[in-house]
Amino acid sequence: MVEYIQVPDMNDSFSRVILCRQEYLIRFLYNGSYDYWSFGVYDNNRNILLQQRKIVPLAPLTHFDVSVHIPQGIFGCFTNLKHVGRNDFVNGKADFVFIPWGDLDEWRVRHEIIR
């Protein structure tokens, strides 16, 4: 199941989320100088588990991350835009999502796609 994660209307924020039955903090940062968003994953004590990553449309943002400390799945951004700007999450033009590996594996099997 796709988990939609709301990006706050702030330039720097932490959001508490439950992913794969575990609680995490996601830090969203907006870089006004270069007009892009990034995110990082932290534990409840704000220890970093995944360094800030630039959010780009329709790309598996954590596909090659294999740490057992981060949620087991892929973070991504769903949008029809080529670039995600400051207000695109707030105005509904972009969605930040998490898809657990198990759900991706089921989809691959149904559609006969080899990973």
Side-chain angles (χ1 to χ4, degrees):
M1 179 169 94
V2 175
E3 301 278 344
Y4 288 84
I5 301 169
Q6 185 176 10
V7 178
D9 188 13
M10 302 169 69
N11 290 344
D12 187 355
S13 67
F14 280 90
S15 296
R16 189 173 308 278
V17 296
I18 306 288
L19 302 171
C20 300
R21 299 185 184 141
Q22 188 166 342
E23 192 171 316
Y24 296 93
L25 296 172
I26 297 182
R27 184 179 188 186
F28 292 103
L29 289 171
Y30 175 71
N31 183 317
S33 297
Y34 296 98
D35 190 33
Y36 72 86
W37 284 97
S38 63
F39 81 102
V41 179
Y42 296 73
D43 66 15
N44 286 329
N45 296 318
R46 294 198 178 189
N47 296 312
I48 192 157
L49 303 176
L50 181 71
Q51 288 279 30
Q52 292 298 124
R53 297 287 169 86
K54 184 176 181 180
I55 298 174
V56 295
L58 302 175
L61 303 175
T62 53
H63 182 76
F64 296 105
D65 294 297
V66 294
S67 170
V68 296
H69 301 291
I70 64 172
Q72 299 301 293
I74 293 180
F75 288 94
C77 175
F78 292 163
T79 183
N80 289 326
L81 304 172
K82 290 182 180 180
H83 168 80
V84 180
R86 170 66 177 85
N87 295 312
D88 292 330
F89 289 111
V90 174
N91 65 22
K93 292 182 180 178
D95 291 306
F96 187 76
V97 300
F98 174 78
I99 307 170
W101 284 121
D103 293 345
L104 285 171
D105 290 340
E106 288 176 24
W107 183 85
R108 285 187 188 106
V109 169
R110 269 197 317 266
H111 294 87
E112 299 178 5
I113 296 173
I114 299 172
R115 180 174 179 211

